[in-house]
Structures are given as C-alpha cells and as structure tokens.
Amino acid sequence: MALEKYNQKRDFTKTKEPKGIKKDSDGALRFVVQKHAASHLHYDFRLEIDGVLVSWAVPKGPSSDHEVKRLAMHVEDHPMDYIDFEGTIPEGEYGGGTVMVWDIGTYHAEGNDDISKDNLTMKKQLKQKSVKVVLNGSKLKGSYHLFSIGADGKQWLLMKGNDRFADGKPFNELSILTKRDFDAIAKGHHVWERTQKSATKKIVPVKKSERKEEEKMDHSAQADGAFSADDLAEAVKIKSFPDEWRPQLATLTDAAFDNEDWIFEHKYDGYRALVQIHNKKATLVSRNGLKFNSKYPEIARTLDGTPQDMILDGEIVVEDTKGKSNFQWLQQYGDYPEKGTLKFYAFDVLYFQGYDLRNLGLLLRKKILKAILPKAKNIIYSEHTTTLGTKAFEKAANEGGEGIIAKKSDSTYQTDKRSRDWLKVKTNKQQEMVIGGFTDPQGGRKGIGALLCGYYDGNDLVYAGKVGSGFTEPILEDLRRKLDRISRKSAPFSTVPKEKNAHWVSPKLIAQLKFSEFTDTGNMRHPVFLGLRADKDPKEIKMEQPLVVTEKATQKGSPVTAKSSAASGKSRVEFSNLDKIFWPKEKITKGDVIDYYRSVSEYILPYLKDRPQSLRRTPDGIKSEGFFQKDVAGKVPKWVKTRKIKSDSAEESVEWLICNDEETLLFMANWGCIELNPWSSRVGSLNNPDYIIFDLDPKGAPMKSIIRTAHKVKETLDLLKVPAYIKTSGGNGLHVFIPVLPKYTYEQTRQFSHLVSQMVHRDLPEITSLERLPAKRQGKVYLDFLQNGRGKTMASIYSLRPREGAGVSTPLDWEEVNDALDLKAFNIKTIPERLQQKGDLWAHFFDDAIDLKSILNKI
C-alpha cells in the first residue's frame, strides 16, 4: 500500500505521528509490534519491506503457541519513522488512542541467510500473500508465518512457527522501551524525542510529585503488593461507568464434585446484589435493577466515600451470632434490625477505575477483589477452596448451610447470563414460587391458613401445592395485608386447585420455599415458607431442575458434563429403547441423542420457538435414510403443541408440530428426530421469514474453495452493511445467515439471496456455481439461494446430523473460518464443552435484524 493513504488519514497539525516518507531499506530489516488502545484494543504487527512498514492489525495479538492462529487485517503501510512511535493520538483523529511499543527488533526472511537478499525475498513473499519470517525481538523470537485467507487480501492469519521458541508462555504486556503501561504513556510524563542522526531516544525524568500521582492507582490497588498494573493488561479500558450491568447467574447441578480446575464458594442465603461505587457514592442494585439503598442503608453508608470507582458482586445477608444466615430475618430487617447482623459478602469484581475486568479469569478477578475491597466489619471477602468440592459441600451441609457454588477458575464474567461455568449445589431443595391465592386460617391462627403457590410454564401458572408452615404471627398478619391488596375474583392458575373457601390474588408476590421433594402429581412435599422475594419478576419463576449432571468425581479433566440423564426429573415424555445404537461406528445411542438435546436445550430452543417443524425421523439411526413427516394429527400427545397450516400445494391443512419447550424437544429426539428442521418463519408471520439463508454446498469442491467463498459472501455483505452469521452445516458445507425483519415475503428474501449470490459468483466464477444440475457444477461450491422458500427447511443451529461422525450444525467466529477449519471437530461430543467455553455465538442474532428495503435502496 502507498504511504499516501497513511498521510491522507492524518492531520499532522493535531497528531505527533511522523509524516509518511519512504526510505531505503539497508542492513538488517526491522520490525515492531505496537499495542494500540484505539476504539478497540489491538496490536499492530509491522515489517520493514522496501522502505516502509507493511502493517497488519491483530486484534488478539501475537501468540507463542504454535497451535494458535490469530486473525490479522492488512492495513495501510506506515513510514519507517513510525517504528518507535509511542504516545497518544488525540481523540477525533484517525486511530485516536494510546500507542505502546510492545516489542521491537530485527528480522530476516525464513530460509534466507543473505541479509542483502532479504528485502527482495520479502517483496516476493508479500506478493504471494504468504510471509514467513524469523524475528529477533525482546518478546517475539523465532519463526512467524502470515498468510492471506481472503480473496481481497485484507484478511490474514498470524501464527507461531514450530520451533524451540514455541513454548506457549504469555508475554509481558508493558512497553519494551519504557516498561510503562497505557496509563503512564497517556499521562505523558516521559517525553520522547527522535534525534536527527539516529533512532535513539532520550527520557526526560519524571518529577517525584508527578511520579507519586502516576503511581497512585497502583498503590491503592496493590494492597501490600496483591496485584499490579500487569494484572490489568488484558482488561479493557472503557470511558463511562457501566451502571446497566447485571449479575452472572449459576446453573443448578445435581451433586458436588472434585476438580482441580474449579473453585468452590459458600452459597449464601440472601439477596444477590451488585455494589456500584461511583464518585465516592455506593449504590446497591438487585439482579433485576432494583435499588437496595433504602432497604439496607448500613451497607451503602459503609461503602460511601470509597475513593476508587468499582463494581462488586456479592450477597446481602443477615447472620445470627453463629454466623448462619437467615433469609426471613433479612426480609424483615427494616422492622427488626436487632435480630441479626447485616453483612455484604463480596465474591467478584467486574469493574475498577475505568477498567472492564469481565474478560479476566476468575482467580485473577478474585485476586484484584481481595486487594481493593474496602476494609469494614460488615464488608467481607468471600473465601474459596480449590479442587475438593465434595468436602466443601459436606462442610456446608454439616453447618446447616444452603450449599456451595462451583466456579470454573479461568472463566470470564458473563453479564446478565445464566452460565454453566458457575454451578450451584444445594443441600436441600429450595424453589421460588409465585403466590396465586390463600386459604382462610383455622382455629386460633390469624391472617391466612396456607399459601397456594405455582410456577410458570410458558404463560401458564402451574399449581404446585399449598404451604402452611414456616410462618410467625407477625408474618401471617403482614402477608394477609399484602395479599388483600392484590385480590381478584378468578384463579390465576391454568388448572384451578380444589381448595374450599380459597381466596385468589394476582400473581405478583414470590415466596422462597424449601421442601423435601416433588410428588408424582407435581406438588411440593413438606414445604416451608422462608420469606418473600422482592428482587425477581414473577414471570421468571419456573420449575428449577438440574441442567447439569456431574460425572464421577475426578481430579483432572472436565468436572461436569452437559449430559443429563433422560430420566432425571419429572417429565411427560415416555422414553424408550435408550440403548439402541444410532451410530454403529461411534457407538452412539438413542439415549446419547436425548441427553445431547437436553444439554443444549436452552441454546437451541430460541431458534425453534413458534416455528413449524418438518420432522426428519430416523428411528433406526444412520443405517437408514429415515423419512420426513409433516402431519402429526392424532400421532402426538395432547400436551405437544401443534398448528394447522395449509401448504401451497395441499388442499387440506396439515397439522405441524411446534417445539417451544424442552419436553417437546426431548419428545422429538425420542421419536427418532436426530435432525431438526424448522421453518424460516414463525407462527403469526408464516409468510414472512426472519432470516435469509446462503447454503454453500461443496459438491466435491475442496475445503479451501468453501472457505474462500464464505469470506467472499461476508465481504459482499460487509459492503452492504449487512450482518453475516456463519455456521457449519453439520456435514461438509457452511451456511451463512442474515437476520431480517419479518415483514418481507419469501420471494423478496430469495431475490436478495440470488442477487448477493450473483455478486459472489461474478468475483469467483472459477470456484462457484449457480447451476442447479449437479452434473454441471462438480468440483464447485453451489450457491443455493433456493433454500429461501415457504416450507423449505434446513438443519437448525445446534442440530445433530444423521450421518457418520455425528456432526452438529455449529455457529462459528469468522476468525475460525480459515484453512485450519476442521468440520469434523464439531460433533455430539464436543459441542456441550464448546458452549460452556464460548456460549451462544449467535446470541444477538435476532437483535441484528435488518430492514431489507433500506438495504436494497442502497444498491
């Protein structure tokens, strides 16, 4: 790239960056890696070639691990004088932000020992879009490879060569020249001057008073050396205080386990809260955004005046003299503060002094938390143990505690999400229930006799029994006052309980209960009232069943599996032939399929909800082709939701199955539906799809052609400013999806898909085809735009495929779409673990829906 582009992007009256002037390359070639805190933190990898610094932006930075490949975006060339630029580019200017010289040194072309030929060799490598160099820096040493993966030459991959320096160790993240972090560089206490004759620099020493100010944050944070600025190297600096964040939630599991990769904390019986400290003012916020300051002012007052901004995650509890928490006392604390001691247990930190810490590992966050936590009797750091979860659970049970929380020690913080990196193990069964009514008191009792409670299943409030114990007289009278204010004439439950003289109320209050077990009819046995909850929405209250079942306790490897027993919990599905072999070679059974779909239900159901299902049934496994079934009239249980729809060709309506919940999903799996095929539109807008499909069908084409075609599709959609989501087909191809507002017809979406496919084929005629006949497109990637049609279906995201290998149609990061992509790696055995690590990569898919008309107007 010419330096003209570099100069055009910069106003040199406002930035101290050097002007772009090409220089002759002589002697050993040089390289630099600059860490750049612009709008997005990234690393700039620059190689001297023919008198300029040829540059790539590497979002995640170089790695010393030979197996790790980093996306590198080819950007404009930079002048040689940029090689030691370290400082701040003003906001509003191109690349505004702080620049650090992360590493610097010399290099030569791999396989070439003649320095005089290095520049010519590098020019050839660059033209061939495959660069192999040997670096001699302070951090980066040995072989590194860069190769293009996109037709336009913009997208490359950077990887470490397999040599003795490929040790996988992390790098020091401070400036290689000044040992400073971004904050120190941004403050500008060191003034850098380039001399006329050489590339040496001089450092103007900082005054003691200035140095004290520069070190102020580090000193307050380190707390006797507990952590330093190095620990914040991977944290992201953000401009505004994030008061909209909400806590990460834990997933229920069935039993404790031992594992060296997990830590175990006490499960507190209180109110979950984030403490937001901003401008020396503390605000207590519930998991749903309610303010707790007026309810528990002592906690807020204790933390008011804290000089550093931070967000802490923890639990508000009231403890007795033995340190045991009591939820009822907490709920009644405003009226009876003398009953116990109010405390806040802090177990995580999300934000500190302008830094977003959520992407740091859990143990590092806890290290920072322990260092910065204000010292007070009622503000307590939540200790943890490692490895021995069963022992921690036994201790909690012996002390009458509620249980433990297991957390993966290297996990990041997932705001406002229920994660399988955090698991809760309860010593007794507890459940929140919505109050839908009550009975009259009997004998000398006042207030109420029993609460009539239930939980939500979709929009239905399902009755789960009555609760008549756990009340004191003041609680009974207080409950009666609250219930009378929300009285109604009709029962809110989907099935009205047969209780004489019952009083009905609007389902607005939530009771925290404990009980021994559920009966066969779905009612609680021996329920006890613990208190009311004001920190949750009643619509959130559902039957809580273990979504994770532990394996036999181990010291190594994954402690839990997303696999859940098909028979665990009460279910309307009657499972059969669970040991039947579906994949003979892999020895995968029907029960394994059911367990897989249970483990991914929370991820797959959003993509199935309200969509008619074209059922591909393979009850004998992959040894047969199976058959498609659309009409399920009279063939499925009454509780399975269906919808009569008249197809374009049939005269009579067909009754299609609708999968909106886990039980229906498991019913389909038990019915032999290895593969799930939903419509592209939903009930209520059946003629208007909410996504557009690009099916990249290989038909014998090599993998590199599929990869190249996928990136061309993305490049084309990027030009149109259209979001592109990619997934594996579960077989040999790839699918690219576009979310679209459901107000356009299938014909309109198919036309758009055809238009984009024509643009892709125009640029890649040698490897792609729009021919429908297979004989005319052998060896080419078929751009199948015809998949966009009413009633046409394709394997859902996270769907298994009934073919050898038990592949799964899996969402990908675009940076994973490269020459190293192995489609066989995404299968029934690997996806649950991948979901634990990455979550749903398409989580915001429907939020990104485009208005097709506005896009077409731009073309």
Side-chain angles (χ1 to χ4, degrees), residues 633-656:
K635 299 170 185 175
V636 297
K638 291 183 178 180
W639 55 265
V640 172
K641 292 185 179 180
T642 60
R643 178 65 178 256
K644 287 187 176 181
I645 302 169
K646 187 174 182 179
S647 66
D648 294 334
S649 57
E651 294 183 1
E652 297 182 358
S653 296
V654 170
E655 194 164 331
W656 297 74

Side-chain angles (χ1 to χ4, degrees), residues 189 205-216:
H189 295 142
V206 123
K207 295 178 182 179
K208 287 185 178 180
S209 60
E210 292 175 331
R211 185 178 292 112
K212 285 181 180 178
E213 181 64 27
E214 182 177 311
E215 295 170 352
K216 193 172 183 180

Side-chain angles (χ1 to χ4, degrees), residues 5-168:
K5 289 187 178 181
Y6 169 88
N7 288 328
Q8 288 169 3
K9 291 181 176 181
R10 290 161 175 81
D11 183 347
F12 294 105
T13 65
K14 297 179 180 179
T15 178
K16 294 182 180 180
E17 296 171 278
K19 291 184 178 179
I21 302 173
K22 184 176 179 179
K23 296 187 175 182
D24 293 332
S25 290
D26 57 353
L29 298 178
R30 290 174 291 170
F31 83 93
V32 65
V33 178
Q34 285 160 316
K35 192 174 179 181
H36 191 177
S39 57
H40 294 86
L41 180 68
H42 65 276
Y43 297 72
D44 291 307
F45 187 91
R46 311 189 196 278
L47 299 175
E48 177 186 357
I49 302 176
D50 206 29
V52 298
L53 290 172
V54 180
S55 302
W56 291 263
V58 185
K60 294 185 178 180
S63 171
S64 62
D65 186 344
H66 170 63
E67 300 294 330
V68 173
K69 297 175 180 64
R70 300 290 201 212
L71 178 67
M73 300 300 294
H74 197 194
V75 296
E76 75 272 13
D77 298 340
H78 281 50
M80 287 304 303
D81 284 347
Y82 208 95
I83 199 165
D84 51 23
F85 174 75
E86 185 170 276
T88 300
I89 302 169
E91 287 190 26
E93 293 301 300
Y94 178 76
T98 304
V99 178
M100 169 198 294
V101 177
W102 186 81
D103 196 19
I104 195 169
T106 60
Y107 80 94
H108 66 84
E110 190 169 284
N112 178 51
D113 296 325
D114 187 347
I115 291 179
S116 66
K117 296 181 179 179
D118 262 339
N119 191 60
L120 180 61
T121 303
M122 292 308 302
K123 288 171 65 177
K124 290 180 179 178
Q125 287 192 14
L126 188 62
K127 186 176 181 180
Q128 295 167 353
K129 298 183 179 180
S130 178
V131 171
K132 296 181 179 181
V133 296
V134 177
L135 305 182
N136 184 23
S138 297
K139 299 177 184 179
L140 302 183
K141 294 183 181 294
S143 172
Y144 277 84
H145 299 171
L146 272 160
F147 51 91
S148 174
I149 59 172
D152 58 3
K154 292 181 180 179
Q155 294 177 317
W156 295 54
L157 288 180
L158 171 67
M159 63 180 294
K160 179 76 184 76
N162 193 10
D163 58 19
R164 64 188 179 93
F165 299 107
D167 53 17

Side-chain angles (χ1 to χ4, degrees), residues 178 398 597 818:
T178 61
N398 291 336
Y597 278 118
N818 56 56

Side-chain angles (χ1 to χ4, degrees), residues 530-599:
L530 299 178
L532 292 178
R533 299 203 72 101
D535 59 336
K536 295 187 178 183
D537 183 340
K539 285 284 187 180
E540 294 180 13
I541 306 305
K542 304 182 185 303
M543 177 68 74
E544 191 173 31
Q545 295 283 7
L547 293 178
V548 174
V549 175
T550 60
E551 293 174 347
K552 186 177 180 181
T554 59
Q555 293 296 316
K556 295 182 180 180
S558 176
V560 297
T561 173
K563 178 177 179 179
S564 301
S565 169
S568 67
K570 298 297 178 185
S571 173
R572 289 177 288 188
V573 185
E574 295 182 6
F575 298 103
S576 60
N577 301 320
L578 297 180
D579 294 329
K580 189 173 186 177
I581 297 294
F582 271 12
W583 278 266
K585 183 178 178 181
E586 295 86 356
K587 299 293 188 290
I588 296 171
T589 67
K590 177 182 175 181
D592 293 327
V593 172
I594 293 170
D595 286 337
Y596 167 78
Y597 278 118
R598 170 169 271 154
S599 75

Side-chain angles (χ1 to χ4, degrees), residues 649-765:
S649 57
E651 294 183 1
E652 297 182 358
S653 296
V654 170
E655 194 164 331
W656 297 74
L657 182 144
I658 307 292
C659 180
N660 286 356
D661 53 50
E662 183 179 288
E663 282 188 309
T664 306
L665 176 65
L666 300 186
F667 170 81
M668 293 166 66
N670 188 64
W671 232 25
C673 298
I674 294 175
E675 180 179 294
L676 306 181
N677 294 272
W679 280 32
S680 300
S681 54
R682 300 177 188 264
V683 171
S685 56
L686 285 173
N687 294 319
N688 309 111
D690 54 10
Y691 52 74
I692 299 173
I693 302 167
F694 294 88
D695 181 10
L696 309 185
D697 190 346
K699 295 301 177 189
M703 191 66 202
K704 63 181 180 181
S705 294
I706 305 172
I707 299 297
R708 189 178 173 193
T709 303
H711 280 288
K712 177 56 68 174
V713 172
K714 186 176 191 301
E715 176 188 325
T716 305
L717 294 174
D718 284 347
L719 289 173
L720 299 174
K721 293 184 168 39
V722 171
Y725 286 78
I726 190 165
K727 69 181 180 76
T728 69
S729 67
N732 299 321
L734 294 173
H735 298 158
V736 178
F737 276 44
I738 300 171
V740 61
L741 294 175
K743 61 181 185 179
Y744 299 98
T745 66
Y746 274 102
E747 178 64 25
Q748 289 171 313
T749 59
R750 183 166 58 249
Q751 288 174 353
F752 180 79
S753 177
H754 190 193
L755 175 63
V756 173
S757 296
Q758 288 174 318
M759 295 168 70
V760 172
H761 180 55
R762 178 199 63 199
D763 291 344
L764 300 176

